[in-house]
Coordinates of all heavy atoms in Angstrom, one line a residue:
M8 N 118.0 102.3 102.8 CA 116.9 102.8 102.0 C 115.8 103.4 102.9 O 115.5 102.8 104.0 CB 116.2 101.6 101.3 CG 115.0 101.9 100.4 SD 114.5 100.6 99.5 CE 113.3 101.2 98.5
A9 N 115.2 104.4 102.6 CA 114.1 105.1 103.3 C 112.8 104.6 102.8 O 112.6 104.3 101.6 CB 114.2 106.6 103.3
W10 N 111.8 104.4 103.7 CA 110.5 103.9 103.4 C 109.5 105.0 103.7 O 109.4 105.5 104.8 CB 110.1 102.7 104.1 CG 111.0 101.5 103.7 CD1 112.2 101.2 104.2 CD2 110.8 100.6 102.7 NE1 112.9 100.2 103.6 CE2 111.9 99.8 102.5 CE3 109.7 100.4 101.8 CZ2 112.0 98.6 101.7 CZ3 109.8 99.3 100.9 CH2 111.0 98.5 100.9
E11 N 108.8 105.4 102.7 CA 107.7 106.5 102.9 C 106.3 105.9 102.9 O 106.0 104.9 102.3 CB 107.8 107.5 101.7 CG 106.9 108.6 101.8 CD 107.0 109.5 100.6 OE1 108.2 109.8 100.2 OE2 106.0 110.1 100.1
C12 N 105.6 106.4 103.8 CA 104.1 105.9 104.1 C 103.3 106.0 102.9 O 102.8 105.1 102.3 CB 103.5 106.7 105.2 SG 101.7 106.1 105.5
G13 N 103.1 107.2 102.4 CA 102.3 107.4 101.1 C 100.9 107.2 101.2 O 100.1 107.4 100.2
I14 N 100.3 107.0 102.3 CA 98.8 106.9 102.4 C 98.2 108.4 102.5 O 98.6 109.2 103.3 CB 98.3 106.2 103.7 CG1 98.8 104.8 103.7 CG2 96.9 106.2 103.9 CD1 98.5 103.9 104.9
D15 N 97.4 108.6 101.7 CA 96.7 110.0 101.6 C 97.7 111.2 101.7 O 97.4 112.0 102.5 CB 95.6 110.0 102.6 CG 94.4 109.1 102.4 OD1 94.1 108.8 101.2 OD2 93.9 108.5 103.3
G16 N 98.8 111.0 101.1 CA 99.9 112.1 101.1 C 100.5 112.2 102.5 O 101.2 113.4 102.8
C17 N 100.5 111.2 103.3 CA 101.1 111.3 104.6 C 102.6 111.6 104.5 O 103.0 112.5 105.3 CB 100.9 109.8 105.4 SG 101.7 109.7 107.0
E18 N 103.3 111.0 103.8 CA 104.7 111.2 103.4 C 105.6 111.0 104.6 O 106.8 111.4 104.7 CB 104.9 112.6 102.8 CG 104.1 112.8 101.4 CD 104.3 114.1 100.9 OE1 105.2 114.9 101.3 OE2 103.8 114.2 99.8
A19 N 105.1 110.3 105.8 CA 106.0 110.1 106.9 C 107.1 109.1 106.3 O 106.9 108.2 105.5 CB 105.3 109.4 108.0
V20 N 108.4 109.3 106.8 CA 109.5 108.6 106.4 C 110.1 107.8 107.3 O 110.3 108.2 108.6 CB 110.6 109.4 105.7 CG1 111.7 108.7 105.1 CG2 110.0 110.2 104.4
F21 N 110.5 106.5 107.2 CA 111.1 105.5 108.1 C 112.4 104.9 107.6 O 112.5 104.8 106.4 CB 110.0 104.4 108.6 CG 108.7 105.1 108.9 CD1 107.7 105.4 108.1 CD2 108.5 105.4 110.2 CE1 106.5 105.9 108.5 CE2 107.3 105.9 110.7 CZ 106.4 106.3 109.8
D22 N 113.2 104.5 108.5 CA 114.5 104.0 108.2 C 114.3 102.5 107.7 O 115.2 101.9 106.9 CB 115.4 104.0 109.3 CG 116.0 105.3 109.7 OD1 116.0 106.1 108.7 OD2 116.3 105.6 110.8
D23 N 113.2 101.9 108.2 CA 113.0 100.4 107.8 C 111.5 100.2 107.6 O 110.6 100.9 107.9 CB 113.5 99.4 109.0 CG 112.8 99.8 110.2 OD1 111.5 99.4 110.4 OD2 113.5 100.5 111.0
V24 N 111.3 99.2 106.7 CA 109.9 98.9 106.2 C 109.0 98.4 107.4 O 107.9 98.8 107.3 CB 109.9 97.9 105.0 CG1 110.4 96.4 105.6 CG2 108.7 97.8 104.3
E25 N 109.5 97.7 108.3 CA 108.7 97.3 109.4 C 108.1 98.6 110.3 O 107.0 98.4 110.5 CB 109.5 96.4 110.3 CG 110.0 95.2 109.8 CD 111.3 95.3 109.0 OE1 112.0 96.4 109.0 OE2 111.7 94.3 108.3
S26 N 108.8 99.6 110.4 CA 108.4 100.7 111.1 C 107.3 101.4 110.3 O 106.3 102.0 110.7 CB 109.6 101.7 111.3 OG 110.5 101.1 112.2
A27 N 107.6 101.4 108.9 CA 106.6 102.1 108.1 C 105.2 101.3 108.1 O 104.2 102.0 108.2 CB 107.1 102.2 106.6
I28 N 105.2 100.1 108.1 CA 104.0 99.3 108.1 C 103.3 99.4 109.5 O 102.1 99.6 109.6 CB 104.3 97.8 107.8 CG1 104.8 97.7 106.3 CG2 103.0 97.0 108.0 CD1 105.3 96.3 106.0
A29 N 104.2 99.4 110.6 CA 103.6 99.6 111.9 C 103.0 101.0 112.0 O 101.9 101.1 112.6 CB 104.6 99.4 112.9
H30 N 103.6 102.0 111.4 CA 102.9 103.4 111.3 C 101.6 103.3 110.5 O 100.6 103.9 111.1 CB 103.9 104.3 110.6 CG 103.2 105.6 110.1 ND1 103.0 106.6 111.0 CD2 102.8 105.8 108.8 CE1 102.3 107.5 110.2 NE2 102.3 107.1 109.0
Q31 N 101.6 102.6 109.4 CA 100.3 102.5 108.7 C 99.1 101.9 109.5 O 98.0 102.4 109.4 CB 100.5 101.6 107.5 CG 101.4 102.4 106.5 CD 101.7 101.5 105.2 OE1 101.6 100.4 105.1 NE2 101.9 102.3 104.0
V32 N 99.6 100.8 110.3 CA 98.6 100.2 111.1 C 98.0 101.0 112.2 O 96.9 101.1 112.6 CB 99.2 98.9 111.7 CG1 98.2 98.3 112.7 CG2 99.4 97.8 110.5
S33 N 99.0 101.8 112.8 CA 98.6 102.6 114.2 C 98.1 103.9 113.9 O 97.4 104.4 114.5 CB 99.8 102.6 115.0 OG 100.9 103.3 114.5
A34 N 98.6 104.5 112.7 CA 98.3 106.0 112.5 C 97.1 106.3 111.5 O 96.7 107.3 111.3 CB 99.6 106.8 112.1
H35 N 96.7 105.2 110.8 CA 95.8 105.5 109.7 C 94.6 104.6 110.0 O 94.7 103.6 110.6 CB 96.3 105.2 108.3 CG 97.5 106.0 107.9 ND1 97.2 107.4 107.5 CD2 98.8 106.0 108.0 CE1 98.3 108.0 107.3 NE2 99.4 107.2 107.5
E36 N 93.4 105.0 109.5 CA 92.2 104.2 109.7 C 92.2 103.0 108.9 O 92.8 102.9 107.9 CB 91.0 105.1 109.3 CG 90.7 106.3 110.2 CD 89.4 106.8 109.8 OE1 88.5 106.2 109.4 OE2 89.3 108.1 109.8
R37 N 91.5 102.0 109.6 CA 91.4 100.7 108.7 C 90.2 100.9 107.7 O 89.4 101.7 107.9 CB 91.1 99.6 109.7 CG 92.2 99.3 110.7 CD 91.8 98.2 111.7 NE 92.9 98.0 112.6 CZ 94.0 97.0 112.5 NH1 93.8 96.2 111.5 NH2 94.9 97.0 113.3
L38 N 90.3 99.9 106.6 CA 89.4 100.1 105.6 C 88.7 98.9 105.5 O 89.2 97.8 105.8 CB 90.2 100.4 104.4 CG 90.9 101.7 104.4 CD1 91.8 101.9 103.0 CD2 90.2 102.9 104.5
E39 N 87.5 99.0 104.8 CA 86.9 97.7 104.5 C 87.2 97.2 103.1 O 87.2 97.9 102.1 CB 85.3 97.9 104.4 CG 84.5 96.7 104.2 CD 83.0 97.1 104.1 OE1 82.6 98.0 105.0 OE2 82.2 96.4 103.4
C40 N 87.5 95.9 103.0 CA 87.9 95.3 101.7 C 86.8 95.4 100.8 O 85.7 95.0 101.2 CB 88.4 93.9 101.9 SG 88.8 92.9 100.4
G41 N 87.1 95.9 99.6 CA 86.0 96.0 98.6 C 85.5 94.8 98.0 O 84.4 94.7 97.4
V42 N 86.3 93.7 98.2 CA 85.9 92.4 97.8 C 85.0 91.6 98.7 O 84.0 91.1 98.4 CB 87.1 91.6 97.2 CG1 86.7 90.2 96.8 CG2 87.9 92.3 96.2
C43 N 85.6 91.5 100.0 CA 84.9 90.5 100.9 C 84.3 91.3 102.1 O 83.6 90.7 103.0 CB 85.9 89.4 101.4 SG 87.2 90.1 102.4
G44 N 84.6 92.6 102.4 CA 84.1 93.4 103.4 C 84.8 93.3 104.8 O 84.6 93.9 105.7
T45 N 85.9 92.5 104.8 CA 86.9 92.4 105.9 C 87.5 93.7 106.2 O 87.8 94.4 105.3 CB 87.9 91.3 105.7 OG1 87.3 90.1 105.5 CG2 89.0 91.2 106.9
I46 N 87.5 94.1 107.5 CA 88.2 95.3 107.9 C 89.8 95.1 107.9 O 90.2 94.2 108.6 CB 87.8 95.9 109.2 CG1 86.2 96.0 109.2 CG2 88.4 97.3 109.5 CD1 85.7 97.0 108.1
V47 N 90.5 95.8 107.2 CA 92.0 95.6 107.0 C 92.7 97.0 107.2 O 92.1 98.1 106.9 CB 92.4 95.0 105.7 CG1 91.8 93.5 105.6 CG2 92.0 95.8 104.5
P48 N 93.9 97.0 107.7 CA 94.7 98.2 107.7 C 94.8 98.7 106.3 O 95.0 98.0 105.3 CB 96.2 97.7 108.3 CG 95.9 96.4 108.9 CD 94.7 95.8 108.1
D49 N 95.1 100.0 106.3 CA 95.3 100.7 105.0 C 96.9 100.5 104.7 O 97.5 100.1 105.5 CB 94.9 102.2 105.0 CG 94.9 102.8 103.8 OD1 95.1 102.3 102.7 OD2 94.4 104.1 103.7
G50 N 97.2 100.6 103.4 CA 98.6 100.5 103.0 C 99.0 99.0 102.8 O 98.2 98.3 102.2
Y51 N 100.2 98.6 103.1 CA 100.8 97.4 102.7 C 99.9 96.1 103.0 O 99.6 95.3 102.2 CB 102.2 97.2 103.2 CG 102.7 95.9 103.1 CD1 103.2 95.3 101.9 CD2 102.8 95.0 104.2 CE1 103.7 94.0 101.8 CE2 103.2 93.7 104.2 CZ 103.7 93.2 103.0 OH 104.1 91.9 102.8
L52 N 99.5 96.0 104.4 CA 98.7 95.0 104.8 C 97.3 94.9 104.1 O 96.8 93.8 103.8 CB 98.6 94.9 106.3 CG 99.8 94.8 107.0 CD1 99.7 94.9 108.6 CD2 100.5 93.4 106.7
G53 N 96.7 96.0 103.7 CA 95.5 95.9 103.0 C 95.8 95.5 101.6 O 95.0 94.6 101.0
I54 N 96.8 95.9 100.9 CA 97.2 95.5 99.6 C 97.5 94.0 99.6 O 97.0 93.2 98.8 CB 98.2 96.4 98.9 CG1 97.8 97.8 98.8 CG2 98.7 95.7 97.7 CD1 99.0 98.8 98.5
R55 N 98.2 93.6 100.5 CA 98.6 92.2 100.7 C 97.3 91.3 100.9 O 97.1 90.2 100.3 CB 99.6 92.1 101.9 CG 100.0 90.6 101.9 CD 101.0 90.5 103.1 NE 101.5 89.2 103.2 CZ 102.3 88.9 104.3 NH1 102.6 89.7 105.2 NH2 102.6 87.6 104.4
H56 N 96.3 91.8 101.6 CA 95.1 91.1 101.9 C 94.4 90.9 100.5 O 94.1 89.8 100.2 CB 94.2 91.8 102.9 CG 92.8 91.3 102.8 ND1 92.4 90.1 103.5 CD2 91.6 91.8 102.0 CE1 91.0 89.9 103.2 NE2 90.6 90.9 102.4
V57 N 94.2 91.9 99.8 CA 93.5 91.9 98.6 C 94.1 90.9 97.5 O 93.6 90.2 96.9 CB 93.3 93.2 97.8 CG1 92.8 93.3 96.5 CG2 92.3 94.0 98.8
F58 N 95.4 91.0 97.4 CA 96.1 90.2 96.4 C 96.6 88.9 96.9 O 96.9 88.0 96.1 CB 97.5 91.0 96.0 CG 97.3 92.1 95.0 CD1 96.7 93.2 95.3 CD2 97.5 91.9 93.6 CE1 96.5 94.3 94.5 CE2 97.2 92.8 92.7 CZ 96.6 94.1 93.2
T59 N 96.4 88.4 98.1 CA 96.6 87.1 98.6 C 95.3 86.4 98.8 O 95.2 85.2 98.6 CB 97.5 87.0 99.8 OG1 96.9 87.7 100.8 CG2 98.9 87.5 99.4
E60 N 94.3 87.1 99.1 CA 93.1 86.4 99.5 C 92.0 86.5 98.3 O 91.1 85.7 98.4 CB 92.3 87.2 100.6 CG 93.1 87.1 101.9 CD 93.3 85.7 102.4 OE1 92.4 84.9 102.4 OE2 94.4 85.3 102.9
H61 N 92.3 87.2 97.3 CA 91.4 87.4 96.2 C 92.0 87.4 94.9 O 93.3 87.7 94.8 CB 90.6 88.7 96.4 CG 89.9 89.0 97.7 ND1 88.9 88.2 98.1 CD2 90.2 89.9 98.6 CE1 88.6 88.5 99.3 NE2 89.3 89.6 99.6
S62 N 91.3 87.1 93.8 CA 91.9 87.2 92.5 C 92.1 88.5 92.0 O 91.5 89.5 92.4 CB 90.9 86.4 91.5 OG 89.9 87.2 91.3
R63 N 93.0 88.7 90.9 CA 93.2 89.9 90.4 C 92.0 90.5 89.8 O 91.7 91.6 89.7 CB 94.3 89.8 89.3 CG 95.7 89.3 89.8 CD 96.3 90.1 90.9 NE 97.5 89.7 91.3 CZ 97.8 89.0 92.4 NH1 96.9 88.5 93.2 NH2 99.1 88.6 92.7
A64 N 91.2 89.7 89.1 CA 90.0 90.0 88.5 C 88.9 90.6 89.6 O 88.3 91.6 89.4 CB 89.2 88.9 87.8
E65 N 88.9 89.9 90.8 CA 88.1 90.6 91.8 C 88.4 91.9 92.3 O 87.7 92.8 92.5 CB 88.1 89.5 93.1 CG 87.2 88.3 92.9 CD 87.5 87.2 94.0 OE1 88.6 87.1 94.5 OE2 86.5 86.7 94.3
Y66 N 89.9 92.0 92.3 CA 90.5 93.4 92.7 C 90.0 94.5 91.7 O 89.5 95.5 92.0 CB 91.9 93.3 92.8 CG 92.6 94.6 93.0 CD1 92.5 95.3 94.1 CD2 93.3 95.2 91.8 CE1 93.2 96.6 94.2 CE2 93.8 96.4 91.8 CZ 93.7 97.1 93.1 OH 94.3 98.4 93.2
V67 N 90.2 94.1 90.3 CA 89.8 95.0 89.3 C 88.3 95.4 89.4 O 87.9 96.6 89.3 CB 90.2 94.4 87.9 CG1 89.6 95.2 86.8 CG2 91.7 94.3 87.8
R68 N 87.5 94.5 89.6 CA 86.1 94.8 89.7 C 85.7 95.5 90.7 O 84.9 96.5 90.8 CB 85.2 93.5 89.7 CG 85.2 92.8 88.3 CD 84.1 91.6 88.3 NE 84.3 90.7 89.2 CZ 85.2 89.6 88.9 NH1 85.7 89.5 87.7 NH2 85.4 88.6 89.8
A69 N 86.1 95.2 91.9 CA 85.8 95.8 93.2 C 86.4 97.2 93.3 O 85.7 98.2 93.9 CB 86.3 94.9 94.4
Y70 N 87.6 97.6 92.8 CA 88.2 98.9 92.9 C 88.2 99.6 91.6 O 88.7 100.7 91.6 CB 89.6 98.7 93.5 CG 89.5 98.2 94.9 CD1 89.6 96.9 95.2 CD2 89.4 99.1 95.9 CE1 89.6 96.4 96.6 CE2 89.3 98.7 97.2 CZ 89.4 97.4 97.5 OH 89.4 96.9 98.9
G71 N 87.7 99.2 90.5 CA 87.6 99.9 89.3 C 89.1 100.1 88.9 O 89.4 101.1 88.2
A72 N 89.9 99.1 89.2 CA 91.3 99.1 88.8 C 91.6 98.8 87.3 O 90.7 98.2 86.6 CB 92.1 98.3 89.6
D73 N 92.8 99.1 86.8 CA 93.2 98.7 85.5 C 94.5 97.9 85.7 O 95.0 97.8 86.8 CB 93.3 99.8 84.6 CG 94.3 100.9 85.0 OD1 95.3 100.6 85.7 OD2 94.3 101.9 84.4
S74 N 95.0 97.4 84.5 CA 96.2 96.5 84.6 C 97.4 97.4 85.2 O 98.2 96.7 85.8 CB 96.5 96.0 83.2 OG 96.8 97.1 82.3
E75 N 97.5 98.6 85.0 CA 98.6 99.4 85.5 C 98.5 99.5 87.1 O 99.5 99.4 87.7 CB 98.6 100.9 85.0 CG 99.7 101.7 85.5 CD 101.2 101.2 85.2 OE1 101.3 100.5 84.3 OE2 102.1 101.4 86.1
D76 N 97.2 99.6 87.6 CA 97.1 99.5 89.1 C 97.6 98.2 89.5 O 98.2 98.2 90.6 CB 95.7 99.9 89.4 CG 95.1 101.2 89.0 OD1 95.7 102.1 89.1 OD2 93.9 101.3 88.6
V77 N 97.1 97.1 88.9 CA 97.7 95.9 89.4 C 99.0 95.8 89.4 O 99.7 95.3 90.5 CB 96.9 94.8 88.6 CG1 97.5 93.4 88.8 CG2 95.5 94.7 88.7
R78 N 99.8 96.1 88.4 CA 101.2 96.0 88.2 C 101.9 96.9 89.3 O 102.9 96.4 89.9 CB 101.7 96.4 86.8 CG 101.4 95.4 85.7 CD 102.3 95.7 84.5 NE 101.7 97.0 83.8 CZ 100.6 96.9 83.0 NH1 100.1 95.8 82.7 NH2 100.3 98.1 82.4
Q79 N 101.3 97.9 89.5 CA 102.1 98.9 90.5 C 101.8 98.2 91.9 O 102.9 98.4 92.7 CB 101.2 100.3 90.5 CG 101.8 101.2 91.5 CD 100.9 102.6 91.6 OE1 99.9 102.6 91.0 NE2 101.5 103.6 92.2
R80 N 100.8 97.8 92.2 CA 100.7 97.2 93.6 C 101.5 95.8 93.7 O 102.0 95.5 94.7 CB 99.2 96.9 93.9 CG 98.6 98.3 94.3 CD 97.1 98.3 94.3 NE 96.5 99.7 94.5 CZ 96.6 100.7 93.7 NH1 97.0 100.7 92.5 NH2 96.1 101.8 94.2
E81 N 101.5 95.1 92.7 CA 102.2 93.8 92.6 C 103.7 94.1 92.8 O 104.5 93.5 93.5 CB 102.1 93.0 91.5 CG 100.7 92.3 91.4 CD 100.5 91.6 90.1 OE1 101.0 92.0 88.9 OE2 99.7 90.6 90.1
K82 N 104.1 95.3 92.1 CA 105.6 95.6 92.3 C 105.9 96.1 93.7 O 106.9 95.8 94.3 CB 105.9 96.8 91.3 CG 107.2 97.2 91.3 CD 107.6 98.4 90.3 CE 109.1 98.8 90.3 NZ 109.4 100.1 90.3
L83 N 105.0 96.8 94.3 CA 105.2 97.3 95.7 C 105.2 96.1 96.7 O 106.1 96.1 97.5 CB 104.0 98.2 96.0 CG 104.0 98.7 97.5 CD1 105.1 99.7 97.8 CD2 102.7 99.4 97.8
L84 N 104.3 95.2 96.5 CA 104.3 94.0 97.3 C 105.7 93.2 97.1 O 106.2 92.8 98.2 CB 103.2 93.0 96.9 CG 101.8 93.6 97.4 CD1 100.7 92.5 96.9 CD2 101.7 93.6 98.8
E85 N 106.2 93.1 96.0 CA 107.3 92.3 95.7 C 108.6 93.1 96.3 O 109.3 92.4 97.0 CB 107.6 92.3 94.2 CG 108.9 91.5 93.8 CD 109.1 91.3 92.4 OE1 108.0 91.0 91.6 OE2 110.2 91.7 91.9
E86 N 108.5 94.3 96.3 CA 109.6 95.2 96.9 C 109.7 95.0 98.3 O 110.7 94.9 99.1 CB 109.5 96.7 96.4 CG 110.6 97.5 96.9 CD 110.5 98.9 96.4 OE1 109.7 99.2 95.4 OE2 111.0 99.9 97.1
I87 N 108.5 95.1 98.9 CA 108.4 95.0 100.4 C 108.7 93.7 100.8 O 109.5 93.5 101.8 CB 107.0 95.4 100.8 CG1 107.0 97.0 100.7 CG2 106.8 95.1 102.3 CD1 105.6 97.5 100.9
D88 N 108.3 92.7 100.1 CA 108.3 91.2 100.6 C 109.8 90.9 100.5 O 110.4 90.0 101.3 CB 107.6 90.2 99.7 CG 106.0 90.4 100.0 OD1 105.7 90.9 101.0 OD2 105.3 89.9 99.2
E89 N 110.5 91.5 99.6 CA 112.1 91.1 99.6 C 112.8 91.7 100.7 O 113.9 91.4 101.0 CB 112.7 91.8 98.2 CG 112.2 90.9 97.0 CD 112.6 91.5 95.7 OE1 113.2 92.5 95.7 OE2 112.3 90.9 94.7
S90 N 112.2 92.8 101.4 CA 112.9 93.5 102.4 C 112.5 93.3 103.8 O 113.1 93.6 104.8 CB 112.8 95.1 102.0 OG 113.3 95.5 100.8
I91 N 111.3 92.9 103.9 CA 110.7 92.7 105.3 C 111.2 91.6 106.2 O 111.5 90.6 105.5 CB 109.1 92.7 105.0 CG1 108.5 93.0 106.4 CG2 108.7 91.2 104.6 CD1 106.9 93.2 106.2
D92 N 111.4 92.0 107.4 CA 111.6 90.9 108.5 C 110.3 90.6 109.2 O 110.0 91.5 110.0 CB 112.7 91.4 109.4 CG 113.0 90.4 110.4 OD1 112.2 89.5 110.8 OD2 114.1 90.6 111.0
E93 N 109.6 89.6 108.7 CA 108.2 89.4 109.3 C 108.3 89.2 110.8 O 107.4 89.6 111.5 CB 107.6 88.2 108.5 CG 107.2 88.6 107.2 CD 106.3 87.7 106.4 OE1 105.5 86.9 107.2 OE2 106.3 87.7 105.2
K94 N 109.2 88.6 111.3 CA 109.4 88.4 112.7 C 109.5 89.8 113.4 O 108.7 90.1 114.4 CB 110.6 87.5 113.2 CG 110.7 87.3 114.7 CD 111.9 86.3 115.0 CE 111.9 86.2 116.5 NZ 113.2 85.5 116.9
R95 N 110.3 90.8 112.9 CA 110.5 92.1 113.4 C 109.1 92.7 113.3 O 108.8 93.5 114.3 CB 111.7 92.7 112.7 CG 111.9 94.0 113.3 CD 113.2 94.6 112.8 NE 113.5 95.8 113.5 CZ 113.8 96.9 112.9 NH1 113.5 97.1 111.6 NH2 114.0 98.0 113.6
L96 N 108.5 92.6 112.2 CA 107.2 93.3 112.0 C 106.1 92.8 113.1 O 105.5 93.7 113.7 CB 106.7 93.0 110.6 CG 105.2 93.7 110.4 CD1 105.2 95.1 110.6 CD2 104.8 93.2 109.0
A97 N 106.1 91.7 113.3 CA 105.3 91.0 114.3 C 105.6 91.6 115.7 O 104.6 91.9 116.4 CB 105.3 89.4 114.3
E98 N 106.9 91.7 116.1 CA 107.3 92.3 117.3 C 106.7 93.7 117.3 O 106.2 94.2 118.4 CB 108.8 92.2 117.5 CG 109.1 90.8 117.8 CD 110.7 90.7 117.6 OE1 111.5 91.7 117.4 OE2 111.3 89.6 117.8
F99 N 106.8 94.5 116.3 CA 106.4 95.9 116.2 C 104.9 96.0 116.5 O 104.4 96.9 117.2 CB 106.7 96.6 115.0 CG 108.1 97.1 114.8 CD1 109.3 96.4 115.3 CD2 108.3 98.2 114.1 CE1 110.4 97.1 115.1 CE2 109.6 98.8 114.0 CZ 110.6 98.2 114.5
L100 N 104.2 95.1 115.8 CA 102.7 95.1 115.8 C 102.1 94.6 117.2 O 101.1 95.1 117.5 CB 102.0 94.3 114.7 CG 102.5 94.9 113.2 CD1 101.8 94.1 112.3 CD2 102.0 96.4 113.1
N101 N 102.8 93.7 117.7 CA 102.4 93.1 119.1 C 102.9 93.7 120.3 O 102.5 93.2 121.4 CB 102.6 91.6 119.0 CG 102.0 90.8 118.0 OD1 100.8 91.2 117.6 ND2 102.7 89.8 117.4
G102 N 103.8 94.6 120.2 CA 104.2 95.2 121.5 C 105.0 96.2 121.5 O 105.4 97.0 122.4

Protein backbone atom coordinates (compact mmCIF):
# COMPACT_ATOMS: atom_id res chain seq x y z
CA MET A 1 0.00 0.00 0.00
CA ALA A 2 1.28 3.46 -0.87
CA TRP A 3 0.98 6.30 1.65
CA GLU A 4 0.41 9.88 0.48
CA CYS A 5 1.43 12.89 2.58
CA GLY A 6 -1.61 15.06 1.82
CA ILE A 7 -0.48 18.14 3.78
CA ASP A 8 -1.40 21.28 1.82
CA GLY A 9 -1.49 19.33 -1.43
CA CYS A 10 2.04 17.94 -0.96
CA GLU A 11 1.08 14.57 -2.49
CA ALA A 12 4.50 12.99 -1.81
CA VAL A 13 4.05 9.20 -1.89
CA PHE A 14 5.86 6.63 0.24
CA ASP A 15 6.04 2.85 0.35
CA ASP A 16 5.41 2.70 4.10
CA VAL A 17 3.55 4.77 6.66
CA GLU A 18 6.65 5.36 8.79
CA SER A 19 8.40 7.11 5.89
CA ALA A 20 5.33 9.24 5.26
CA ILE A 21 5.18 10.36 8.89
CA ALA A 22 8.93 11.02 9.01
CA HIS A 23 8.47 13.18 5.89
CA GLN A 24 5.64 15.11 7.55
CA VAL A 25 7.87 15.81 10.56
CA SER A 26 10.93 16.86 8.56
CA ALA A 27 9.50 18.54 5.46
CA HIS A 28 6.55 20.51 6.84
CA GLU A 29 6.27 23.28 9.41
CA ARG A 30 5.12 22.49 12.90
CA LEU A 31 1.82 23.95 14.04
CA GLU A 32 0.41 25.25 17.29
CA CYS A 33 -2.32 23.05 18.77
CA GLY A 34 -5.53 25.07 18.71
CA VAL A 35 -6.58 23.62 22.05
CA CYS A 36 -3.49 23.87 24.29
CA GLY A 37 -0.89 25.81 22.30
CA THR A 38 1.68 23.00 22.18
CA ILE A 39 3.80 23.03 19.01
CA VAL A 40 3.22 19.75 17.17
CA PRO A 41 4.14 18.32 13.76
CA ASP A 42 1.55 18.76 11.04
CA GLY A 43 -0.19 15.62 9.77
CA TYR A 44 -0.60 12.35 11.63
CA LEU A 45 1.31 13.29 14.80
CA GLY A 46 -0.61 16.56 15.10
CA ILE A 47 -3.94 14.80 14.67
CA ARG A 48 -2.86 12.11 17.13
CA HIS A 49 -1.95 14.81 19.67
CA VAL A 50 -5.34 16.50 19.43
CA PHE A 51 -7.33 13.27 19.58
CA THR A 52 -5.38 11.67 22.44
CA GLU A 53 -4.68 14.73 24.60
CA HIS A 54 -8.00 16.54 24.18
CA SER A 55 -11.69 15.71 23.98
CA ARG A 56 -13.59 15.60 20.72
CA ALA A 57 -15.61 18.61 21.94
CA GLU A 58 -12.39 20.62 22.49
CA TYR A 59 -11.26 19.72 18.96
CA VAL A 60 -14.61 20.80 17.47
CA ARG A 61 -14.55 24.14 19.33
CA ALA A 62 -10.89 24.93 18.63
CA TYR A 63 -10.96 24.07 14.93
CA GLY A 64 -14.56 24.83 13.95
CA ALA A 65 -14.88 21.16 13.01
CA ASP A 66 -18.03 19.14 12.56
CA SER A 67 -18.87 15.48 13.11
CA GLU A 68 -17.67 14.56 9.60
CA ASP A 69 -14.27 16.15 10.31
CA VAL A 70 -14.03 14.11 13.52
CA ARG A 71 -15.00 10.85 11.78
CA GLN A 72 -12.53 11.46 8.95
CA ARG A 73 -9.63 12.02 11.35
CA GLU A 74 -10.60 9.11 13.60
CA LYS A 75 -10.70 6.84 10.54
CA LEU A 76 -7.26 8.09 9.45
CA LEU A 77 -5.82 7.48 12.93
CA GLU A 78 -7.30 3.97 13.02
CA GLU A 79 -5.93 3.12 9.57
CA ILE A 80 -2.45 4.35 10.43
CA ASP A 81 -2.43 2.82 13.91
CA GLU A 82 -3.25 -0.58 12.37
CA SER A 83 -0.30 -0.30 9.98
CA ILE A 84 2.42 1.53 11.88
CA ASP A 85 5.52 -0.03 13.38
CA GLU A 86 6.16 2.43 16.21
CA LYS A 87 9.69 1.15 16.85
CA ARG A 88 10.59 1.68 13.18
CA LEU A 89 9.01 5.15 13.24
CA ALA A 90 11.06 6.06 16.31
CA GLU A 91 14.21 4.94 14.48
CA PHE A 92 13.27 7.11 11.49
CA LEU A 93 12.63 10.15 13.69
CA ASN A 94 15.68 9.73 15.92
CA GLY A 95 18.30 9.02 13.44
